Amino acid sequence: MTNMLKIFIAAAMASGLMASAQTTAVSEVWQPDLGNGKYKNPVINADYSDPDVIRVGDDYYMTASSFCDIPGLPVLHSKDLVNWTLIGHAIAEMPEYAQFQPDPNHGNAVWAPAIRYHDGEFYIYYGDPDLGIFMTKTKDPAGPWEPLVLVHAAKGIIDTCPLWDEDGKAYNSLI
């Protein structure tokens, strides 16, 4: 057998072995729930910046900053604060006046949202450091959510905390 033929056969066998090894490798999905009442951190192995969580009955809902990404304001659901499912986004599109022209302004727009439940409706308020405080609401946290409303025009506001007192009057702390 010639050296060239031996090299060809060895290369063919090696590539077959490598192809076989490549097809058997499977990436694992992160699972924080250990199945025995315990969990491992991180509970969510992803970038959900500035998370805010509420409990409504036996359910938990979370949202997080989405900056200039659309769809924006991810909405997640959990029954136990360990196993989370993305159920939708509260922002399908930005109002024209809130869009950065001509290019996205990375790192701006939707910062530090606050999700709340009041009087049968879910609300999300967030601060845009260039424009002010926006709000959207829905009866179903999976959506659809109402179009964004600019509720307070201002510069530099990034953290909001809406609350309702006993008589239903709404307040929003601003930072």
Side-chain angles (χ1 to χ4, degrees), residues 14-161:
S15 69
L17 289 174
M18 289 178 63
S20 173
Q22 289 174 349
T23 57
T24 59
V26 177
S27 66
E28 293 185 27
V29 175
W30 179 254
Q31 182 56 265
D33 192 337
L34 299 176
N36 60 2
K38 296 181 180 182
Y39 65 93
K40 61 184 172 183
N41 281 320
V43 171
I44 301 176
N45 193 18
D47 184 10
Y48 287 103
S49 301
D50 311 312
D52 194 52
V53 177
I54 59 165
R55 186 182 79 185
V56 178
D58 294 332
D59 298 285
Y60 297 91
Y61 298 96
M62 182 180 93
T63 190
S65 295
S66 54
F67 306 107
C68 64
D69 294 333
I70 298 298
L73 287 174
V75 179
L76 292 88
H77 172 260
S78 176
K79 286 285 196 180
D80 59 11
L81 293 174
V82 173
N83 298 289
W84 289 92
T85 302
L86 179 66
I87 60 172
H89 290 84
I91 302 175
E93 64 180 305
M94 295 296 280
E96 191 171 315
Y97 62 86
Q99 295 177 10
F100 292 101
Q101 302 295 331
D103 297 317
N105 193 346
H106 299 287
N108 286 331
V110 181
W111 285 33
I115 186 168
R116 298 292 184 267
Y117 182 77
H118 174 72
D119 208 16
E121 292 186 297
F122 292 85
Y123 293 81
I124 297 179
Y125 286 79
Y126 73 86
D128 177 315
D130 296 310
L131 299 174
I133 299 173
F134 286 86
M135 183 272 301
T136 182
K137 67 180 182 171
T138 187
K139 290 190 181 295
D140 180 1
W145 289 74
E146 292 185 8
L148 292 172
V149 175
L150 179 62
V151 295
H152 180 76
K155 293 233 182 243
I157 294 176
I158 59 170
D159 291 309
T160 64
C161 185

